[in-house]
Amino acid sequence: INFAKTYSPLTSAEIVAQEKSNMDEKRFKHCIGVSETSRKLAELNDYDPDKAALAGFIHDYAKQVPPERFIKVIKEQHFDQDLLNYNRAIWHGIVGAYFIEKELKITDPEILTAIRRHTTADVEMSTLDKIVFVADFIEPGRDFPGVEEARKVAFANLDDGVGFELAHTLDFLITNRKKIYPKTFAAYNKWAVKD
Ligand code: GDP
Ligand code: FE
Ligand code: FE
Ligand code: FE
């Protein structure tokens, strides 16, 4: 893995080491998978492959940050206090971007927004937002009923990949009676509904 020094004053080796120290081996492998799949999706969709690969690599940087640290940041950094009604599944993207900015020293707004949106998606989605959102779902390490179909759809058309993923996620959340974050719901209405 090698990231040019375009998006952080840290060296590539420093970013990789910091990322590795912030998560277990399984999560780290997932991040490498998302990075590689983000690169592929970028090539297919006329987006900068190196930038997509970096965004994919760091997307779950904060996934295993202790909940107390998230709660402190949500309270002290003026995040929407409704976030306190959710958990790390939602926090690690929206609030995780804060840790990525502070600890990996990434300032690029496109990368930070893609990280914020990678779990819930949103009504407005840039090409990079879609790439990271979809790559997270279909990277080679993912194994769930329907993943082959998800890959086929996403590699054929990125927007269709976003819609497929949101339909699958809403289905999962409703089946398991999980609380739906408003942005997930709004994103479903925007990207998944077939009129
Ligand atoms: P991961 O970090 O690679 O595991 O993947 P994601 O960041 O995409 O998703 C993390 C978890 O958040 C998954 O289990 C999703 O099903 C879950 N999730 C996504 N949207 C929502 C939502 O609106 N509400 C809740 N409660 N969970 C959600
Ligand atoms: Fe995630
Ligand atoms: Fe995701
Ligand atoms: Fe992920």
Side-chain angles (χ1 to χ4, degrees), residues 47-144:
Y47 192 83
D48 180 343
D50 291 332
K51 188 169 181 178
L54 174 61
F57 182 64
I58 63 177
H59 82 287
D60 273 344
Y61 174 76
K63 182 91 181 183
Q64 292 166 347
V65 165
E68 312 80 64
R69 288 192 68 204
F70 277 109
I71 291 166
K72 189 170 151 61
V73 169
I74 291 165
K75 288 181 175 168
E76 291 178 1
Q77 302 297 321
H78 309 291
F79 279 89
D80 180 353
Q81 299 300 297
D82 180 46
L83 282 164
L84 296 172
N85 298 313
Y86 293 83
N87 57 28
R88 267 199 302 198
I90 297 296
W91 298 340
H92 78 282
I94 295 168
V95 188
Y98 174 87
F99 293 106
I100 287 170
E101 202 173 355
K102 290 279 175 253
E103 295 168 18
L104 297 179
K105 315 226 180 291
I106 303 282
T107 52
D108 184 88
E110 273 185 37
I111 294 179
L112 293 174
T113 299
I115 292 175
R116 288 189 191 102
R117 293 178 174 162
H118 91 262
T119 302
T120 62
D122 208 333
V123 175
E124 299 300 325
M125 295 277 274
S126 73
T127 301
L128 184 61
D129 297 341
K130 293 172 190 171
I131 287 170
V132 176
F133 180 70
V134 167
D136 188 21
F137 193 59
I138 65 167
E139 61 98 356
R142 290 283 195 207
D143 187 17
F144 56 84

Side-chain angles (χ1 to χ4, degrees), residues 3-4 7-8 10-20 54 57-58 61 104 106:
F3 302 110
Y7 300 107
S8 169
L10 302 192
T11 64
S12 180
E14 284 169 332
I15 289 176
V16 174
Q18 178 65 25
E19 167 100 354
K20 211 170 176 97
L54 174 61
F57 182 64
I58 63 177
Y61 174 76
L104 297 179
I106 303 282

Side-chain angles (χ1 to χ4, degrees), residues 4-50:
K5 255 187 118 166
T6 320
Y7 300 107
S8 169
L10 302 192
T11 64
S12 180
E14 284 169 332
I15 289 176
V16 174
Q18 178 65 25
E19 167 100 354
K20 211 170 176 97
S21 75
N22 221 36
M23 60 186 67
D24 63 28
E25 193 61 32
K26 187 165 171 252
R27 182 60 45 181
F28 186 74
K29 280 202 183 107
H30 164 68
C31 290
I32 292 173
V34 175
S35 180
E36 287 169 355
T37 302
S38 294
R39 178 181 292 286
K40 270 188 213 161
L41 287 171
E43 284 161 359
L44 289 169
N45 291 279
D46 296 314
Y47 192 83
D48 180 343
D50 291 332

